[in-house]
Amino acid sequence: MKVSLKEVNKSFQKGKGETLEVLDDIDFNISEGEFVSLIGPSGCGKSTILKLVAGLDAPTSGEVLMNGRTVTGPGTDRVVVFQEGGLFPWMTVIENVTYGLLRKKMSKEEAHEKAMEGLRMVHLANFTGSYPHELSGGMKQRVAIARALVMDPDVLLMDEPFAALDEQTRLVLHKELQRIWQDTGKTILFITHNIREALTLSDRVLLMSTRPGAVKREFTVQAARPRDPADSNVVDLERRVMEELEEEMEKVLKEEFGDDYHLEKSRVRDSDHSDMGSHI
Ligand SMILES: Nc1ncnc2c1ncn2[C@@H]1O[C@H](COP(=O)(O)OP(=O)(O)OP(=O)(O)O)[C@@H](O)[C@H]1O
Ligand SMILES: [Mg+2]
């Protein structure tokens, strides 16, 4: 399923007559089966874009289209995975994963079978009876991914799904997500603050500028799959993306700390895993 945003603007009312312009003429397409990431400073409107595509909110002007049809609300063709998987704590793993299927009026047997298939895909078939509090953060996110996959959406919308996880778990899930994406051919829109994560997973990375958010630059990742984060293509691109981002980061920090704030470029470039930290 092809996703298109056409001249999408979004603003929010901010109290008395004040308007907060959040998105400024967002215009891009995601081809069927493509993996696209959005990166950019905190508050630039990434989650807002995801919500518009999910149909959870509507643009102020412009259009979001799925295969050429205007999105007017949520639909079974799109499923969102958030940072905190949002599992029901009172339900077991299998109950969490079958929940959406049973609501779709699928029979218990079929729902169970589908859920098992989804759990096998994320290597959690042995944890069907566990409750979320008995799982690690990475396992919970894998359940959330299984729960999204069993609904068989055309488009998977992922808003920082691995942000709360440690680096090792994150690397494992990158491998799993790449494999699942290759096996299922889903179209994926992925949000992250981690440049290397974006470059490891995506066909294209869209870099957004600070508020009002616009797409500032687009990077196509050529590296072979499954990606190795140490691939020279990935590492080279990482440096380029980081350079582009510095400008945007400086704007955000100035907004927060005043005009006399100057970013120490070398410090940002040298930072370990190109995570943009809490400000960005
Ligand atoms: N429902 C809302 N009402 C008012 N303002 C909103 C609403 N949703 C988002 N905003 C504002 O829109 C801007 C963009 O928010 P958004 O959550 O899209 O940013 P983001 O790029 O996802 O940031 P982060 O990287 O921190 O998650 C922010 O200034 C936010 O305060
Ligand atoms: Mg966000």
Side-chain angles (χ1 to χ4, degrees), residues 63 109 135 167 185 187 193 224 258 260 274:
E63 274 186 308
E109 294 70 33
L135 305 177
E167 194 65 13
T187 306
H193 277 132
D260 55 0
S274 70

Side-chain angles (χ1 to χ4, degrees), residues 1-4 29-36 67 153-155 181 184-188 203-204:
M1 176 94 52
K2 179 181 171 186
V3 181
S4 314
N29 296 312
I30 309 174
S31 310
E32 169 136 22
E34 196 181 16
F35 196 128
V36 171
N67 271 356
D154 295 306
V155 182
W181 170 72
T184 60
K186 301 287 177 209
T187 306
I188 300 186
D203 295 318
R204 268 189 305 145

Side-chain angles (χ1 to χ4, degrees), residues 12 20 22 41-48 160 193 211:
F12 291 105
L20 182 70
V22 173
S42 181
C44 72
K46 302 179 294 296
S47 297
T48 303
E160 302 192 48
H193 277 132
R211 211 177 49 232

Side-chain angles (χ1 to χ4, degrees), residues 9 61 67 99 102 118 121 138-140 147 166 169 186 191 195 206 226 246 251 254 270 278-279:
N9 290 278
S61 68
N67 271 356
Y99 178 79
L102 295 173
M121 216 177 240
M139 290 159 89
K140 276 188 255 195
R147 187 179 57 174
D166 64 89
T169 307
K186 301 287 177 209
I191 296 177
I195 299 170
L206 307 181
E246 276 177 5
K251 282 189 211 157
K254 266 187 186 162
D270 290 347
S278 56
H279 289 304

